[in-house]
Amino acid sequence: MKSISLNLLKSGDYDNDENRIRGQMSAILTDSIRGALRAIPDYPKPGILFQDITPVLQNGLLFRQVREELAAPFRGAGISHVVGIEARGFILAAPVAVTLGAGFIPLRKPGKLPWQTVRHEYELEYGTASLEAHADACPPGSRVLVVDDVLATGGTAAAAGSLVRRLGGEVVGWSFLLAIRALGGDKQLTGARVHVVLDI
């Protein structure tokens, strides 16, 4: 019988190997997402190239992998609640909340929530917008992850973080499926980690 020689690895070697494998898996995932996205020109208005994520969601295995990747950096971070921003953020944030064993908090447009609310207004390029949450949605001491589909200019994501902090929660991080890095939205998100699955 042929003998097999085993080389003992240092603990750092195991870490490096795990990081290498994770990097390869991330590259495969991002290629799969990029291949599934459907670019729609001039939607919702002329000059905008809209990235339609519905083909990603229609692929059950890919959707599950996206969910895992959105949650991965925050496992072990003691996340108590995951915030989803109306409306596409709901689709991603709720599964991430289940993955992390956390509660789900919907941030909605004004007038959509049935109970007492706290409203946060924020500036857009043209005019203002608002987000609301139930007044008791985020108890003091909550450790919160904000999840959304796309990070663009960062205004809405920053507003979500501000609303969480007003309610007494701690923003532990933001996690996005896509980011348009050229718009610099991550510069508006301060005081916590920003994780992006795919830059476009």
Side-chain angles (χ1 to χ4, degrees), residues 41-64:
D42 299 322
Y43 180 86
K45 60 183 181 179
I48 293 184
L49 182 63
F50 183 82
Q51 297 293 337
D52 179 14
I53 69 168
T54 57
V56 176
L57 305 176
Q58 288 165 359
N59 182 322
L61 178 58
L62 184 55
F63 189 8
R64 185 173 70 184

Side-chain angles (χ1 to χ4, degrees), residues 28-88:
I28 293 169
L29 175 59
T30 54
D31 286 348
S32 297
I33 295 168
R34 199 184 303 275
L37 288 172
R38 181 164 46 208
I40 302 175
D42 299 322
Y43 180 86
K45 60 183 181 179
I48 293 184
L49 182 63
F50 183 82
Q51 297 293 337
D52 179 14
I53 69 168
T54 57
V56 176
L57 305 176
Q58 288 165 359
N59 182 322
L61 178 58
L62 184 55
F63 189 8
R64 185 173 70 184
Q65 291 171 328
V66 164
R67 178 202 67 186
E68 291 295 327
E69 182 61 26
L70 287 166
F74 304 97
R75 289 184 181 274
I79 301 296
S80 62
H81 296 81
V82 175
V83 158
I85 303 170
E86 189 170 346
R88 288 187 302 272

